Amino acid sequence: MKRNLSALKKALQFGISGAVGGFVGNLITEPFVQRLTGSASFFDSVLSTARWFGLVGGGIATAIMFGYYYYIKGKPQIKQALKNGGLFGLIAGAISGAIAEAIYSGIGDGDNELLRVICWGIAGSLLGLGLAQRIPNLGALRGMGGGGVGGVLGGCLFILFAYNLSGTAGRLAGCAAIGFWIGIMLVVAETLFNKAWLVISYDTGANRTLTLGSEPITFGSDENLSIICIPHVSPLAMRFQLQAGQIVCENVDSGAVSYLRSGDQKKIGNCTITVGNSDLPAATSVQVPPAIRSEKSAADSFTSGRFFLRLGSRVIPLTAGTQLFTSDIPSLTATASNGVVATVNSRSRDELSLELTNLCDRAWWATDIQGDLKMVEPETPLTLTVGTKIEFGEIDGEII
């Protein structure tokens, strides 16, 4: 639900930004419209449209980048928006406008509205492709697809406005509609077809959603190093990335790396980061046979075992042969069909020297009493010591 509401807010913000950019871009060109559209030759028509939509595209791209920066940082970033949106939007808009006009003038009869809409779709797709190079993990295909659909929808409204409003008002409203739908559809394409994402929930109640991909999403207090700025933490504190289908979280301060599943959370500064993955649903409790903790009786376990695992209000004795199931730690998923996510083994003949072996499909994080952090990967044992805290995804445990 948080993701959907955040994505809706993001789409509206991008849409409104794009509409303002399209309106302003066309407003700048409006004094020259008569001169630009007065040429009759094919070359002049293509050049005029390239100049016109170059300014419109530059306005749309700059405004969408302004909306993007405002969305992720919560404050205006005009200089950054101009730097990363203005020039490339101008170039992308000019190229797409020239291509669209060449197609329309070359094979159209001057009155083919369907072809005009298709040309707007081409212009939108190329503009979306350009934006995909600036918005992290948007992706070329999603950018082109979202921009293309937005261009078609906006182009339909452009034609509608052109027929029902005066020339200037129709062009202004039409370019605003194109910018609006390109901004909206970029977010729709990103949300529908992304494989992994982060929902960032601030202590103030605000939420933001960012797509995960090959480009890292960084968190820290330095705006030059971090995409998401968090006060009172390290300049670059945490990095999330999608690698080979796995969601990887790196704690830059400690160098620790963890592999996350859908629903896992990380806390940094004033925000909580929740991982989402469409290919890997959140782990849930499953029906498994009653947990057989050891071949010994429970009474023998409490008297002869040296260690216990505290999980919230529950305390589980750990002796050689103890098995932990998904019913014990619902945030974990077993790699075997028997539902065992961990087992206790003796390191030697001394039954008091024990190891807890990870038998699930994800890594754990263990912090010993000195504060040293260690990743426990699948099939890897962890030597049990009193005071060690273990992060089993969403559930925390402690060896006592």
Side-chain angles (χ1 to χ4, degrees), residues 68-132:
Y68 168 74
Y69 288 125
Y70 191 82
Y71 177 78
I72 64 172
K73 298 182 182 296
K75 59 182 179 179
Q77 299 279 308
I78 299 176
K79 186 181 294 186
Q80 283 291 96
L82 284 169
K83 177 182 177 182
N84 292 318
L87 181 59
F88 98 84
L90 182 69
I91 295 172
I95 293 174
S96 61
I99 292 174
E101 180 62 29
I103 294 173
Y104 183 75
S105 298
I107 65 176
D109 57 6
D111 196 31
N112 189 330
E113 301 302 350
L114 177 60
L115 182 58
R116 189 191 297 269
V117 169
I118 293 174
C119 289
W120 280 119
I122 294 173
S125 66
L126 292 180
L127 193 59
L129 177 62
L131 284 165

Side-chain angles (χ1 to χ4, degrees), residues 358-398:
N358 183 353
L359 297 181
C360 71
D361 62 352
R362 60 184 297 177
W364 308 335
W365 284 101
T367 306
D368 62 23
I369 198 170
Q370 284 79 32
D372 295 329
L373 187 67
K374 176 184 178 182
M375 182 171 65
V376 185
E377 297 191 41
E379 306 296 332
T380 302
L382 170 69
T383 301
L384 296 183
T385 56
V386 174
T388 298
K389 296 181 179 179
I390 309 174
E391 181 185 329
F392 300 109
E394 301 157 326
I395 297 177
D396 294 330
E398 182 179 2

Side-chain angles (χ1 to χ4, degrees), residues 27-192:
L27 187 64
I28 294 172
T29 66
E30 198 58 33
F32 311 102
V33 165
Q34 295 301 322
R35 187 179 66 174
L36 292 176
T37 58
S39 301
S41 70
F42 173 82
F43 177 78
D44 286 343
S45 179
V46 170
L47 183 61
S48 296
T49 302
R51 288 192 300 236
W52 171 61
F53 199 69
L55 288 171
V56 173
I60 291 173
T62 299
I64 288 179
M65 290 305 301
F66 177 88
Y68 168 74
Y69 288 125
Y70 191 82
Y71 177 78
I72 64 172
K73 298 182 182 296
K75 59 182 179 179
Q77 299 279 308
I78 299 176
K79 186 181 294 186
Q80 283 291 96
L82 284 169
K83 177 182 177 182
N84 292 318
L87 181 59
F88 98 84
L90 182 69
I91 295 172
I95 293 174
S96 61
I99 292 174
E101 180 62 29
I103 294 173
Y104 183 75
S105 298
I107 65 176
D109 57 6
D111 196 31
N112 189 330
E113 301 302 350
L114 177 60
L115 182 58
R116 189 191 297 269
V117 169
I118 293 174
C119 289
W120 280 119
I122 294 173
S125 66
L126 292 180
L127 193 59
L129 177 62
L131 284 165
Q133 311 307 312
R134 295 295 189 274
I135 299 177
N137 300 314
L138 173 59
L141 290 178
R142 289 194 291 265
M144 289 184 66
V149 173
V152 168
L153 294 174
C156 292
L157 289 176
F158 186 97
I159 294 170
L160 179 65
F161 292 143
Y163 275 107
N164 291 278
L165 300 174
S166 65
T168 298
R171 285 188 293 271
L172 289 171
C175 288
I178 290 171
F180 176 80
W181 281 109
I182 288 177
I184 287 282
M185 294 311 299
L186 285 176
V187 178
V188 170
E190 179 188 46
T191 303
L192 289 179

Side-chain angles (χ1 to χ4, degrees), residues 219-235:
F219 294 77
S221 59
D222 190 332
E223 291 190 359
N224 297 319
L225 298 175
S226 306
I227 293 177
I228 302 296
C229 295
I230 308 295
H232 312 305
V233 299
S234 301

